[in-house]
Amino acid sequence: STRVRSSAASDVYKRQIMTVKPNIKKNFNITWLLLYGAGLITVGILVLVNGKIVVEPAARLGGIFIVANGIHRLIRAYARHQRLPVFSGIGNIIIGLISVFFPAATLALLSFIFSLYVFLNALVKFIDFGTALKNAVPDAFYDFFSGIFFTVFGIIMLFGTLMGSQGMLVVIGLYCIIYGAGELRLFIREAAPNKAKGIIRRRIRFSLPQVITTFIPLKTLRSYTERLDSREIDIEKLQNEERYEKSADTPDIHVLIHVSADGVGSIGHCDLVLNGTVISYGNYDKSSERLFGGIGDGVLFKADFDKYINFCVYHDLQMVFDFGIKLSEKQLAKVRKGIAKLERNITCWKPPYQLATENSPIADIADFDDYCSSLWNGTHARFFKFKSGRFKTYFVMSTNCVFLADYILSKAGTDIVKTAGIITPGDYYDYMQSEYALPGGIVITRDIYSKYNVSPTET
């Protein structure tokens, strides 16, 4: 079975609670929520009243930071004799200088990019509408009306960009106010007596912009890898460095966020783990792929946790972040009920290599280039397809791995991420990390699995 050098993967539920200055850390997090939320609301109001007073200085200051980051990348590239950071550093410097000297142009460009993003959301919802009709999903017309909304909003933003940047200032101002209000609600939740915390629960979480959250796991991976490869720190110290004092209870369900250094894996992937079994969803049937692999038959699989972690680390070259969630008995029962509902709508499906081995004992995995065959060969996972419903068709921008995880966990009534458009593993990572940092958050453990602490499976 999988061996872990610094802490056994099979002992994922056992935790070491850090006791150094716990009250200081707790009070800092709660105070930060208050200051951050109030500050965002103040900035939002100022932007709505007179946006240029806030936005232009912010653009110049942001440009200075971007230039500084570019210079840092050039120095690091020179010291390590690497080419890629050179181009990245030069690009950062150019973008930063434009932002410093032409803040109005920067805002106009951001407004135009935001308009394109809104149109992309509209396209996603219209594709969702088409697949929902095909799969006889009851609330299919919700996607259609969402697509209309995004289209109209995109046109308004685009015309606002052509006539000036006022529309973008309104969006920024409202965003800051709504996001700040969400942080204040978190402050109230954490500062309230224990009996009141169950009442003050958000059903909708207004997250950071997706241009930020999408790449948070990748940025974290690169930061950790740089420190670990340079031997600045080892994996055990790294985990202890970011560990918060939490409940010593055993997590009831785990969320896994995967990320690799390049390719599609840099966007990440999301799974759930219940009782040592991984539950995952994706576009694993290569024969059904369309739109460059963005659409296909939705496939759910179940795999042993240890075998799967080993496969992810050594076959997919990933780092896996494991967030353990504590639920009440009532919440856990609802989660199990949600999983049972999914299982009533699935039928067994076998990857090509599995079928080949059943027909011929001399079948060779080298003859199969599809991912699910490699996954079955490495984990002996069980695969299933959906008979009907929204999950019957996978779509990378909406009905994806995160959507399934959110569907299951939302049955518990927890304040998990809800978005009207695109949702990525980065959204979930951002949410899980923030819940882990909160003293009263539902995430009570956080582990990392990688080549630094997981040894290859012995055969």
Side-chain angles (χ1 to χ4, degrees):
S1 61
T2 304
R3 296 180 297 124
V4 182
R5 289 188 282 273
S6 62
S7 60
S10 57
D11 293 333
V12 65
Y13 304 120
K14 296 180 180 179
R15 293 294 173 275
Q16 180 182 17
I17 305 300
M18 192 171 83
T19 58
V20 180
K21 300 180 180 179
N23 290 329
I24 294 177
K25 210 168 187 178
K26 174 181 178 180
N27 292 334
F28 174 79
N29 287 332
I30 294 177
T31 304
W32 170 251
L33 287 174
L34 173 63
L35 297 176
Y36 186 47
L40 282 173
I41 292 174
T42 302
V43 170
I45 293 173
L46 288 174
V47 170
L48 289 178
V49 174
N50 192 342
K52 291 186 178 180
I53 292 179
V54 179
V55 174
E56 289 196 5
R60 295 183 191 275
L61 183 62
I64 293 172
F65 278 108
I66 294 172
V67 169
N69 182 58
I71 294 172
H72 170 71
R73 286 174 179 267
L74 289 179
I75 294 172
R76 188 173 63 181
Y78 176 77
R80 298 184 180 182
H81 305 287
Q82 295 176 328
R83 292 183 178 180
L84 185 59
V86 171
F87 298 106
S88 176
I90 293 173
N92 273 260
I93 292 173
I94 293 173
I95 293 171
L97 290 175
I98 292 173
S99 185
V100 169
F101 293 107
F102 306 101
T106 303
L107 184 61
L109 179 61
L110 288 176
S111 182
F112 178 71
I113 293 173
F114 181 74
S115 301
L116 296 181
Y117 172 74
V118 173
F119 283 124
L120 177 60
N121 275 271
L123 177 62
V124 167
K125 300 315 293 183
F126 284 131
I127 292 175
D128 283 343
F129 172 64
T131 56
L133 281 181
K134 179 182 177 182
N135 298 330
V137 176
D139 57 350
F141 279 93
Y142 166 80
D143 295 317
F144 176 76
F145 291 119
S146 295
I148 294 294
F149 168 78
F150 280 119
T151 301
V152 173
F153 184 37
I155 292 172
I156 293 172
M157 285 302 302
L158 185 59
F159 275 99
T161 300
L162 298 175
M163 292 184 293
S165 57
Q166 189 59 41
M168 192 63 189
L169 292 177
V170 172
V171 171
I172 292 173
L174 291 176
Y175 181 90
C176 288
I177 292 173
I178 296 172
Y179 191 82
E183 297 302 295
L184 286 183
R185 291 187 71 184
L186 269 181
F187 163 74
I188 296 172
R189 191 188 88 181
E190 295 303 313
N194 289 333
K195 290 183 179 180
K197 286 184 179 180
I199 301 173
I200 308 170
R201 301 290 295 181
R202 293 175 301 153
R203 300 305 182 206
I204 298 177
R205 181 173 184 264
F206 202 70
S207 62
L208 289 169
Q210 264 172 338
V211 68
I212 297 176
T213 58
T214 297
F215 298 103
I216 286 178
L218 177 61
K219 184 178 179 181
T220 306
L221 167 70
R222 289 176 174 171
S223 173
Y224 287 175
T225 301
E226 183 175 340
R227 297 181 67 191
L228 292 165
D229 283 346
S230 65
R231 298 187 179 180
E232 172 191 333
I233 193 171
D234 62 40
I235 187 69
E236 186 173 0
K237 289 182 180 179
L238 179 65
Q239 295 200 78
N240 286 333
E241 185 181 84
E242 301 190 356
R243 182 166 282 131
Y244 290 88
E245 182 194 15
K246 303 288 284 189
S247 168
D249 292 336
T250 299
D252 297 300
I253 194 166
H254 293 252
V255 172
L256 305 181
I257 304 294
H258 310 235
V259 63
S260 57
D262 47 36
V264 178
S266 62
I267 302 299
H269 179 68
C270 177
D271 307 308
L272 295 180
V273 183
L274 183 63
N275 296 333
T277 298
V278 176
I279 302 172
S280 185
Y281 175 77
N283 184 16
Y284 297 112
D285 183 2
K286 188 176 180 179
S287 65
S288 72
E289 290 181 358
R290 304 186 299 280
L291 198 64
F292 307 103
I295 298 178
D297 291 349
V299 177
L300 181 144
F301 75 77
K302 295 183 178 182
D304 174 77
F305 174 79
D306 281 343
K307 291 179 180 178
Y308 182 63
I309 288 294
N310 201 283
F311 180 85
C312 294
V313 170
Y314 286 99
H315 180 274
D316 295 339
L317 306 179
Q318 294 175 334
M319 182 174 283
V320 183
F321 300 94
D322 178 346
F323 296 93
I325 298 175
K326 183 62 183 177
L327 301 174
S328 68
E329 289 297 325
K330 186 176 180 180
Q331 288 174 320
L332 186 57
K334 289 182 178 179
V335 165
R336 294 183 185 279
K337 188 175 179 180
I339 294 174
K341 183 178 180 180
L342 284 177
E343 291 178 338
R344 289 194 294 270
N345 190 35
I346 57 177
T347 182
C348 289
W349 177 78
K350 296 180 181 180
Y353 179 57
Q354 183 181 1
L355 290 173
T357 57
E358 292 176 357
N359 294 326
S360 172
I362 61 171
D364 188 353
I365 184 61
D367 297 329
F368 298 84
D369 61 355
D370 59 299
Y371 179 79
C372 60
S373 288
S374 298
L375 182 60
W376 180 82
N377 183 55
T379 66
H380 278 261
R382 292 172 294 147
F383 293 82
F384 308 88
K385 284 192 177 184
F386 288 84
K387 301 174 186 176
S388 61
R390 191 168 292 275
F391 292 108
K392 181 176 174 59
T393 301
Y394 171 94
F395 181 30
V396 67
M397 305 292 274
S398 57
T399 311
N400 55 19
C401 55
V402 183
F403 188 80
L404 183 114
D406 186 55
Y407 170 84
I408 293 173
L409 287 178
S410 64
K411 299 300 180 183
T414 52
D415 48 350
I416 301 295
V417 181
K418 291 286 186 183
T419 66
I422 302 166
I423 183 168
T424 68
D427 292 317
Y428 243 38
Y429 180 93
D430 177 52
Y431 170 77
M432 293 295 162
Q433 186 62 36
S434 63
E435 279 291 311
Y436 180 56
L438 294 174
I442 61 171
V443 177
I444 63 173
T445 64
R446 177 182 184 266
D447 284 284
I448 303 170
Y449 301 110
S450 68
K451 64 180 182 179
Y452 304 100
N453 63 341
V454 175
S455 294
T457 301
E458 293 180 347
T459 56

